[in-house]
């Protein structure tokens, strides 16, 4: 909004305020006139009641009829003098005296809001307007209590004060008219003064505003010329000085900006080259770590496969010959028993040798020894089969496998870390296997993920053991829980939980990033979880998530599709 408009609006406001004050004054004068008319009527009615009551008590009428006649005379006398309607009623609003004799003895009913009845009850005067067929324009009435000399209210006096009201309003009209004229003149003078002042101030300001807009548009050679010597003239001088300084500063800024632009361009080019080199270095480090991890797993697989192969041959030879040994031992024992049956008394030399060999114990223990050897070789063969399953030396890279066999094989490799050592309790493995189908996956890579997650769980338990007391270890023993289940018949879920130290909240957003680790220095490379995440999400099209409560429990959840058809649509 322009200043001229604001000034005009300000003076309009002053004019409006003046008018409002005048209207309030007019209203106050009108109310004062009404109040004075009412007060005069109330005093007349009170005096009428007082003198009527005083005269009745002094003269002491001999009968009620004489008393009513005297009241009627007072009413008619006042009516003849003032030309006003007057009525006197008792406590039941029965008319005792009236300018219209025919109404005497009737009940008063022209106070529609029971103003007269309320006056009789509480002794307070009340004014009201009576509108009827006789007085369609209405007449002004006032009711005052009619009291005896003891002050008890015995009725009410109703007096018309319409002439008083009209006279008071006629007197007030002159004052109201004068006030209205003065208010109107003051308002017009305020509007004229506001218009003149706004015109005198707004033109120089508009000129200065136009110069400011030109300056903002880039026309720095803009200057303002004013002849006035007031504050606006001083503002114009200050504006011209500012415009001159701004024009000078602009040239300096343009020169400096050109130099900065060249420097920024050069630095941006160097930063781009540096970012590219840093990105290549990060990719190289990530690839190197992945290759190292893959090489470790490959070497471990080859080592396990070689050991399994070397153990498998002699164990298979031993296991195969144990059947023959068992038969031979059984035949020899039968033969000895047959000799003992037919030759119960052998020569002394044979008897001595039998006692020296503890022949009876030998006959009883030899079959047990052979059975123990068979059990041992079977166990060794199972271990070899688990090692071969872990290394997958006899399977294609992508194959349908039993997930539970992969988990058991991985646990077998980590068996030495699960045992009790150095006064610390063993780690209990709880298997809660579901009824899983055969799963299409990269078995070797999936075993690598299982190895990373289980090794991390063991590390977390070992770190927790170093911080827990003996009693805490008894109350909360080391435990790793492995749960498997099928989801929607198309996904397999593997959950690995430990009751170690948990994962801090600060690591939540970086846990699967390369080279990020929560382990102490020289303990972890920060690539295990990153590679595991890549194998599950990218290679298998699955999900790898975790939930953790710091200081209590951590659970990693693997979800992968069961079939290649589902894998292709992920």
């Amino acid at each position: 909004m322009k200043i001229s408009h604001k000034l005009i609006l300000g003076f309009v406001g002053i004019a409006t305020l003046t008018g409002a004050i005048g209207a309030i004054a007019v209203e106050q004068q009108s109310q004062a006139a009404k109040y004075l008319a009412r007060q005069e009527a109330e005093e007349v009615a009170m005096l009428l009641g007082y003198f009527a009551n005083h005269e009745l008590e002094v003269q002491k009428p001999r009968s009620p009829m004489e008393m009513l006649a005297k009241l009627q005379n007072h009413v008619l006398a006042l009516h003849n003098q003032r030309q006003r309607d007057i009525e006197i009623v008792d406590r039941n609003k029965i008319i005792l005296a009236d300018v219209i004799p025919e109404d005497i003895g009737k009940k008063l009913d022209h106070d529609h809001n029971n103003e007269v009845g309320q006056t009789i009850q509480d002794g307070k005067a009340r004014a009201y307007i009576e509108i009827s067929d006789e007085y369609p324009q209405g007449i002004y009435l006032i009711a005052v209590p009619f009291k005896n000399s003891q002050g008890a209210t015995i009725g009410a006096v109703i007096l018309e004060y319409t002439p008083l009201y009209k006279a008071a309003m006629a007197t007030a009209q002159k004052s109201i008219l004068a006030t209205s004229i003065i208010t109107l003149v003051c308002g017009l003078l305020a509007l004229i003064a506001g218009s003149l002042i706004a015109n005198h101030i707004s033109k120089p300001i508009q000129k200065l505003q136009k110069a400011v807009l030109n300056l903002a548009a880039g026309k720095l050679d803009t200057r303002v010329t004013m002849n006035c010597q007031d504050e606006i003239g001083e503002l114009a001088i200050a504006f011209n000085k500012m415009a001159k300084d701004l024009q000078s500063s602009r040239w300096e800024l343009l020169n400096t900006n050109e130099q900065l632009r060249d420097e920024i361009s050069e630095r941006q080019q160097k930063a781009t080259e540096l970012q590219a080199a840093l990105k290549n270095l990060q990719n190289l480090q990530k690839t190197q770590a992945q290759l190292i991890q893959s090489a470790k797993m490959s070497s471990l697989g080859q080592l396990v496969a070689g050991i399994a192969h070397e153990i498998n041959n002699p164990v298979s030879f031993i296991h195969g010959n144990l059947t023959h040994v068992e038969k031979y031992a059984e035949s020899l024992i039968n033969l000895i028993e047959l000799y003992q049956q037919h030759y119960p008394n052998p020569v002394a030399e044979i008897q001595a040798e039998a006692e020296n060999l503890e022949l009876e114990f030998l006959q009883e223990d030899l079959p047990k020894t052979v059975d123990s050897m068979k059990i041992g070789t079977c166990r060794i063969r199972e271990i070899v089969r688990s090692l071969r399953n872990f290394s997958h030396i006899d399977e294609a890279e992508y194959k349908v496998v039993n997930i539970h066999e992969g988990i058991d094989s991985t646990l077998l490799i980590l068996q030495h870390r699960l045992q009790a050592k150095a006064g610390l309790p063993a780690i209990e493995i709880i298997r809660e296997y579901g009824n899983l189908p055969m799963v299409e996956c990269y078995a070797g890579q999936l075993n690598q993920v299982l190895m990373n997650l289980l090794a991390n769980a063991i590390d977390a338990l070992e770190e927790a053991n170093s911080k827990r007391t003996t009693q805490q270890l008894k109350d909360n023993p080391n435990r790793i829980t492995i749960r498997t289940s099928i989801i929607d018949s198309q996904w397999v879920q593997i959950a690995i939980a430990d009751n170690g130290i948990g994962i801090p909240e600060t690591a939540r957003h970086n846990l699967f990033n390369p080279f990020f680790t929560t382990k102490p220095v020289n303990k972890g490379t920060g690539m295990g979880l990153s590679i595991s995440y890549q194998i599950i999400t990218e290679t298998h099209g699955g999900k790898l998530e975790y939930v953790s409560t710091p200081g209590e429990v951590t659970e990693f959840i693997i979800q992968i599709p069961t079939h290649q058809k589902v894998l292709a649509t992920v």
Side-chain angles (χ1 to χ4, degrees):
M1 183 182 292
K2 295 182 178 180
I3 293 178
S4 59
H5 294 167
K6 291 182 179 180
L7 289 172
I8 292 174
L9 285 178
F11 280 99
V12 168
I14 294 174
T16 304
L17 181 61
T18 303
I21 294 174
I24 293 173
V26 168
E27 178 65 20
Q28 291 293 329
Q29 292 174 359
S30 176
Q31 292 297 328
K34 293 179 182 178
Y35 177 77
L36 292 174
R38 175 180 167 179
Q39 286 294 107
E40 183 178 354
E42 184 177 346
E43 291 175 0
V44 171
M46 293 288 288
L47 289 173
L48 173 62
Y50 173 78
F51 286 117
N53 181 65
H54 180 71
E55 184 177 352
L56 290 175
E57 289 186 354
V58 171
Q59 297 180 4
K60 296 182 180 180
R62 287 172 289 181
S63 66
M65 295 299 296
E66 184 180 354
M67 180 185 70
L68 295 177
K70 288 182 177 297
L71 289 176
Q72 181 70 12
N73 291 333
H74 281 290
V75 168
L76 293 175
L78 184 60
H79 175 67
N80 293 330
Q81 292 177 2
R82 300 291 183 95
Q83 297 298 316
R84 298 178 186 175
D85 287 345
I86 305 172
E87 294 173 314
I88 299 177
V89 298
D90 63 7
R91 291 188 63 85
N92 296 320
K93 295 173 61 174
I94 301 299
I95 299 174
L96 303 177
D98 196 334
V99 295
I100 302 175
E102 291 80 5
D103 291 341
I104 297 174
K106 297 181 180 179
K107 188 170 184 178
L108 182 70
D109 58 357
H110 59 65
D111 58 336
H112 300 293
N113 295 322
N114 195 29
E115 290 87 355
V116 176
Q118 293 180 16
T119 297
I120 295 172
Q121 291 294 326
D122 56 19
K124 296 180 180 179
R126 284 178 174 80
Y128 63 98
I129 300 175
E130 176 189 350
I131 298 176
S132 61
D133 295 337
E134 186 179 356
Y135 303 109
Q137 300 298 324
I139 60 173
Y140 293 85
L141 299 175
I142 186 167
V144 298
F146 183 38
K147 298 182 179 181
N148 59 18
S149 59
Q150 287 78 28
T153 301
I154 59 175
V157 178
I158 300 97
L159 173 67
E160 177 194 1
Y161 69 99
T162 303
L164 282 174
Y165 177 80
K166 291 181 178 179
M169 292 304 297
T171 303
Q173 287 297 329
K174 298 178 181 179
S175 176
I176 291 172
L177 180 61
T179 302
S180 301
I181 294 173
I182 293 172
T183 301
L184 180 61
V185 171
C186 290
L188 291 175
L189 290 177
L191 289 177
I192 294 171
S195 178
L196 293 175
I197 294 173
N199 186 49
H200 178 73
I201 295 176
S202 63
K203 284 186 177 180
I205 292 180
Q206 288 176 355
K207 188 175 182 181
L208 186 61
Q209 179 188 17
K210 184 177 180 181
V212 170
L213 292 176
N214 291 335
L215 188 66
K219 300 177 181 179
L220 301 182
D221 56 348
T222 302
R223 299 293 183 270
V224 179
T225 302
M226 290 188 183
N227 296 324
C228 53
Q229 302 297 323
D230 53 10
E231 289 83 356
I232 298 178
E234 294 177 359
L235 184 61
I237 295 173
F239 173 82
N240 292 334
K241 184 177 183 303
M242 180 191 68
K244 181 179 180 181
D245 294 341
L246 187 61
Q247 187 176 22
S248 176
S249 299
R250 181 183 182 185
W251 288 109
E252 296 178 2
L253 183 61
L254 288 175
N255 295 331
T256 305
N257 191 33
E258 188 66 26
Q259 296 176 0
L260 288 175
R261 188 181 294 110
D262 295 339
E263 293 180 3
I264 290 173
S265 177
E266 183 179 354
R267 292 185 181 182
Q268 285 179 344
Q269 184 177 358
K270 291 182 179 179
T272 303
E273 295 175 355
L274 183 60
Q275 288 179 352
L278 181 60
K279 185 176 181 180
N280 292 334
L281 179 59
Q282 291 177 343
N283 292 335
L284 180 61
Q285 290 177 337
K286 181 178 178 180
T287 304
Q288 183 180 13
Q290 290 176 344
L291 290 174
I292 293 173
Q293 186 75 6
S294 300
K296 286 182 179 179
M297 294 304 296
S298 177
S299 300
L300 179 60
Q302 292 177 3
L303 177 62
V304 170
I307 294 174
H309 181 71
E310 292 298 328
I311 295 175
N312 187 55
N313 289 336
V315 169
S316 297
F317 173 76
I318 295 172
H319 185 76
N321 287 328
L322 277 177
T323 304
H324 301 293
V325 172
E326 184 179 18
K327 291 181 180 179
Y328 297 156
E330 184 179 354
S331 298
L332 290 174
I333 291 173
N334 290 336
L335 178 61
I336 292 172
E337 290 177 351
L338 186 60
Y339 267 100
Q340 289 176 340
Q341 181 180 356
H342 291 285
Y343 299 99
N345 298 313
V347 296
E349 185 178 358
I350 295 177
Q351 183 71 27
E353 185 63 22
E355 292 177 358
N356 186 40
L357 293 175
E358 297 181 354
L359 184 59
E360 292 181 1
F361 174 75
L362 188 63
Q363 287 176 290
E364 182 181 353
D365 190 57
L366 183 58
K368 296 179 180 179
T369 302
V370 174
D371 288 339
S372 297
M373 294 174 67
K374 288 178 67 178
I375 293 172
T377 55
C378 288
R379 177 59 180 156
I380 294 174
R381 293 183 70 186
E382 289 177 1
I383 293 174
V384 170
R385 185 166 58 253
S386 297
L387 294 174
R388 291 169 63 88
N389 180 55
F390 179 80
S391 62
H392 288 274
I393 59 174
D394 56 353
E395 296 181 1
E397 185 179 6
Y398 186 85
K399 193 173 180 66
V400 177
V401 297
N402 186 328
I403 295 293
H404 294 156
E405 289 183 358
I407 297 174
D408 292 337
S409 300
T410 306
L411 289 173
L412 179 64
I413 300 299
L414 297 170
Q415 185 64 38
H416 67 287
R417 297 194 61 189
L418 301 174
Q419 298 172 355
K421 54 180 178 283
L424 297 177
I427 298 176
E428 180 185 1
I429 300 296
I430 300 176
R431 295 176 174 86
E432 297 180 3
Y433 290 168
N435 186 17
L436 300 186
M438 302 296 285
V439 178
E440 297 175 351
C441 66
Y442 294 90
Q445 297 186 32
L446 183 59
N447 284 345
Q448 181 180 353
V449 174
L450 295 172
M451 173 71 76
N452 287 335
L453 297 182
L454 287 169
N456 285 343
I458 294 172
D459 290 340
L461 289 171
E462 290 178 349
E463 185 175 352
N465 289 339
S466 64
K467 299 178 181 179
R468 293 173 179 170
T469 63
T470 304
Q471 185 61 40
Q472 288 175 335
L473 290 175
K474 289 181 180 179
D475 296 338
N476 189 22
N478 296 333
R479 185 180 295 114
I480 296 178
T481 303
I482 305 174
R483 301 183 183 91
T484 61
S485 58
I486 185 75
I487 302 175
D488 297 334
S489 73
Q490 295 181 336
W491 290 78
V492 167
Q493 178 172 293
I494 307 168
I496 300 174
D498 66 80
N499 58 340
I501 60 173
I503 298 174
E505 188 66 24
T506 54
R508 177 174 295 275
H509 300 293
N510 298 313
L511 196 62
F512 296 116
N513 291 342
F515 309 109
F516 179 82
T517 180
T518 59
K519 297 178 182 179
V521 180
N522 299 327
K523 182 106 182 199
T525 62
M527 290 302 300
L529 287 178
S530 175
I531 293 174
S532 299
Y533 186 82
Q534 183 179 1
I535 290 173
I536 296 300
T537 58
E538 297 181 9
T539 306
H540 290 86
K543 302 176 183 177
L544 177 58
E545 301 173 342
Y546 81 95
V547 291
S548 179
T549 302
E552 294 183 11
V553 66
T554 299
E555 182 177 32
F556 281 88
I557 301 171
I558 302 171
Q559 292 183 358
I560 58 174
T562 57
H563 300 293
Q564 185 177 7
K565 178 181 179 182
V566 178
L567 179 64
T569 59
V570 174

